[in-house]
C-alpha cells in the first residue's frame, strides 16, 4: 500500500489535491466522507482545503486515509454502504457538478442557521432558478 500520509500525519498540498480529486471522482460530499471517517464534515474539508503549511490528521485516521487514497473503500463508498444506511440507488449516477452544487447549497443553508432570512432567500433563489430552467426547457422546439 502506498503511504500518502507520513508517520507525522502531515497532509501535504499534494495529498490535499489527491483527496479533492478522489472525492470528486466518487461524487461524494464532505458530509459523506465525514460520516465514513467518523469526523465532522468540516474536518474532512480542512484536510482537503486548508491553506496552512502543514495540515495534520490524528494517528488513527492516517491508515484509513491512506487506504482511502489507495482505493480500498471505493466500492463501499460508491454503494453508499456506511454503518446504518441503505445503499444509495441512482444518486451516485448524477453528474459531479450537481453533487458539488447540492453540497454548496447544503453547506450554505447550515451556515445560515442563525439567519432565517438568508436561508429563505437561498431557497427562493434555488426555486426560481429551477422554475426558469423548466420554462426555458419547455420553450425548446
Amino acid at each position: 500500500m502506498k503511504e500518502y500520509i507520513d508517520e507525522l500525519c502531515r497532509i501535504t498540498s499534494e495529498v490535499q489535491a489527491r483527496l479533492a480529486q478522489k472525492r470528486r471522482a466518487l461524487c461524494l460530499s464532505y458530509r459523506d466522507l465525514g460520516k465514513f471517517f467518523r469526523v465532522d464534515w468540516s474536518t474532512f474539508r480542512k484536510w482537503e482545503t486548508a491553506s496552512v503549511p502543514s495540515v495534520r490528521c490524528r494517528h488513527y485516521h492516517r491508515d484509513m486515509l491512506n487506504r482511502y487514497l489507495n482505493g480500498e473503500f471505493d466500492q463501499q463508498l460508491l454503494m453508499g454502504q456506511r454503518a446504518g444506511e441503505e445503499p444509495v440507488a441512482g444518486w451516485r449516477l448524477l453528474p459531479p457538478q450537481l453533487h458539488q452544487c447540492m453540497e454548496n447549497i447544503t453547506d450554505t443553508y447550515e451556515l445560515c442557521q442563525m439567519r432565517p432570512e438568508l436561508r429563505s432567500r437561498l431557497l427562493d433563489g434555488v426555486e426560481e432558478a429551477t422554475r426558469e430552467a423548466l420554462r426555458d426547457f419547455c420553450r425548446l422546439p
Side-chain angles (χ1 to χ4, degrees):
M1 174 174 80
K2 182 167 170 71
E3 297 283 318
Y4 293 96
I5 302 169
D6 65 19
E7 307 80 39
L8 298 176
C9 299
R10 288 181 291 214
I11 300 176
T12 64
S13 58
E14 292 82 18
V15 171
Q16 287 180 313
R18 285 186 177 276
L19 288 171
Q21 185 276 330
K22 181 91 164 150
R23 182 179 62 79
R24 289 184 188 113
L26 294 174
C27 297
L28 296 170
S29 69
Y30 293 123
R31 277 180 183 67
D32 291 332
L33 289 165
K35 287 178 189 175
F36 188 79
F37 283 95
R38 290 180 166 72
V39 297
D40 189 75
W41 68 270
S42 62
T43 299
F44 196 92
R45 184 174 184 259
K46 181 182 78 173
W47 291 341
E48 185 181 304
T49 65
S51 59
V52 295
S54 181
V55 178
R56 294 180 189 266
C57 64
R58 297 190 185 272
H59 284 283
Y60 54 84
H61 289 123
R62 178 179 173 256
D63 179 59
M64 196 170 180
L65 283 166
N66 280 322
R67 292 174 62 200
Y68 166 71
L69 289 170
N70 279 298
E72 290 186 35
F73 302 122
D74 288 2
Q75 194 62 34
Q76 188 177 357
L77 286 162
L78 284 170
M79 296 302 294
Q81 295 174 331
R82 295 178 302 278
E85 290 189 9
E86 293 296 314
V88 180
W91 179 250
R92 300 279 181 241
L93 301 175
L94 296 171
Q97 299 91 334
L98 182 57
H99 287 270
Q100 186 65 48
C101 182
M102 294 302 295
E103 184 175 342
N104 290 342
I105 292 167
T106 303
D107 292 348
T108 304
Y109 188 82
E110 285 194 15
L111 287 171
C112 294
Q113 183 175 5
M114 303 303 286
R115 300 282 306 273
E117 74 282 3
L118 294 178
R119 279 184 159 188
S120 181
R121 279 183 32 212
L122 174 67
L123 295 177
D124 290 346
V126 170
E127 187 66 31
E128 179 56 34
T130 304
R131 280 194 299 268
E132 186 177 322
L134 287 171
R135 276 193 304 267
D136 291 346
F137 174 76
C138 290
R139 283 185 236 156
L140 291 176

